[in-house]
Structures are given as C-alpha cells and as structure tokens.
Amino acid sequence: DSKKKYVLFMLACLLVSASSFFFGYNLTPTDKFEFISDVFVNTSPAVVSVQSISTSEEEGTSGKLYIGSGSGLIISAQGYIVTNFHVISQAEEIYISLSDGRNSEGTVIGVYPESDLALLKIDLPDLPVAILGDSDAVEVGDLSFAIGNPGGEQFARSLTMGVISGTGREMVLNDGHHYTLIQTDAAINPGNSGGPLVNSRGEVIGI
C-alpha cells in the first residue's frame, strides 16, 4: 500500500509540474490565455484591408472594375505598408482601409515578385505600427497567429492560431519563383494574403 501511495503521489506531482510548464508556470486559470488577446490588441490595429481596382475597357462599358482584396501591414509611422505582390499585381488603383475606419488611396513604392512582396504608402497621420520580430529565430513548435481579412472587409482582422510546423521550406511555384517559407497550421484563407504571421509576443515573423 505504501508503495502504491508513493507512485500515486509522484504521478500527481508530475501532472502538476507538466500543467505548470505548459500553461506558463504560475499562471492562474483566468489568465492562462490572456496573452492571445494581447497579441491581437497590440497587432491588429496595424493590419489594413487592401482593395485592388482596375479600369474596365470592355466594348460598350467603361469605369472601374473591382479585382479583389487582401490584407496589408503598416510597418512605419510614415505610412509604409507591406503586402503580397499578387494582391496588387493587376491593380491600377489601390485603396487602403484602416482599423479605425479611415480610408486612403495607396501608392506603390516597390514590388518584389520574386518574393511575392510589395511596398505601398499612404499619407495619413497617427498611424498604428506593427512590431517586427526575427524570423530567423522562429522554431518548430512556437505558437503562431495569423491576422487578416479572409472573405473581405466584413471579416477584417480575423485571428487564427496554430504552431510553426516547419522552417526553411523550399518551394518553386508555377510562376518559376523560388521561395523559402515558414510553415504553420494556423488557418490562412483567401483574403489573408498580405497579412502578418505573428509570434506569441506580438512580433511579426512573416507575411
């Protein structure tokens, strides 16, 4: 009996230690996952909606043609925004919608098709700015969060959560470009393109 009691006692200690390690040592049940909302509150204001517009030149019609929308990320107080190149590749006009309800026309500063990135700029004051992290420090098993606009503006700044499933993933896509990618199982849907992948400290580690 004493041996059984000792084994049960050790198992109980092991379970307590494991749960403390997983949930962050001395965290109480009410604040175990508060950091998730902190990640969203600190990062989402810098996530914008990017709308691409083209000009219709079909016979008998003229005017502006809505191509689609994606996401973007404000990376400086001067109004620089990073997004994916494919979000704006066919756009003749670009419109940016901010989290505070403001809207602005965006200007293309530079495009980098080989890495599917584009740099835009808007001219508005008092812009929220994302915190950039170190993507080289990312490790498999780290928590990851994707923030973007899946399905368009009506689902703006949606948050999904997962883990880093792999790093340094080498891919060559149909466009012939070679990409080195971070793999995550956080849900990423159409419209998320151009939005940030964020670590548990709210630092941006990928687009």
Side-chain angles (χ1 to χ4, degrees), residues 188-206:
I188 298 175
N189 300 295
N192 269 107
S193 293
L197 186 69
V198 184
N199 63 22
S200 59
R201 294 182 296 276
E203 300 166 340
V204 177
I205 54 174

Side-chain angles (χ1 to χ4, degrees), residues 77 98 100 102 124-129:
L98 276 65
D100 60 9
R102 289 184 291 171
L124 289 175
D126 303 321
L127 294 172
V129 178

Side-chain angles (χ1 to χ4, degrees), residues 132-138 199 203-205:
L132 303 184
D134 183 0
S135 58
D136 291 334
V138 172
N199 63 22
E203 300 166 340
V204 177
I205 54 174

Side-chain angles (χ1 to χ4, degrees), residues 4 69 98:
K4 289 181 179 179
S69 67
L98 276 65

Side-chain angles (χ1 to χ4, degrees), residues 22-96:
F22 181 79
F23 288 119
Y25 299 99
N26 297 320
L27 296 180
T28 64
T30 57
D31 61 9
K32 287 173 185 173
F33 298 107
E34 282 187 359
F35 75 94
I36 297 176
S37 60
D38 290 340
V39 167
F40 179 78
V41 168
N42 292 333
T43 308
S44 64
V47 178
V48 301
S49 174
V50 180
Q51 299 182 28
S52 298
I53 306 295
S54 184
T55 301
S56 174
E57 297 181 353
E58 296 181 5
E59 185 177 352
T61 64
S62 63
K64 295 181 178 180
L65 177 67
Y66 174 77
I67 299 176
S69 67
S71 306
L73 184 71
I74 302 173
I75 59 171
S76 83
Q78 288 71 42
Y80 290 101
I81 296 171
V82 65
T83 186
N84 283 134
F85 170 68
H86 71 264
V87 172
I88 56 92
S89 61
Q90 299 180 15
E92 297 178 19
E93 297 179 12
I94 299 170
Y95 292 94
I96 307 297

Side-chain angles (χ1 to χ4, degrees), residues 112-117 168-181:
Y112 311 91
E114 64 278 3
S115 55
D116 193 25
L117 292 175
R169 300 300 198 199
E170 305 290 339
M171 293 185 66
V172 179
L173 300 186
N174 294 333
D175 58 10
H177 290 127
H178 179 275
Y179 300 92
T180 302
L181 306 174

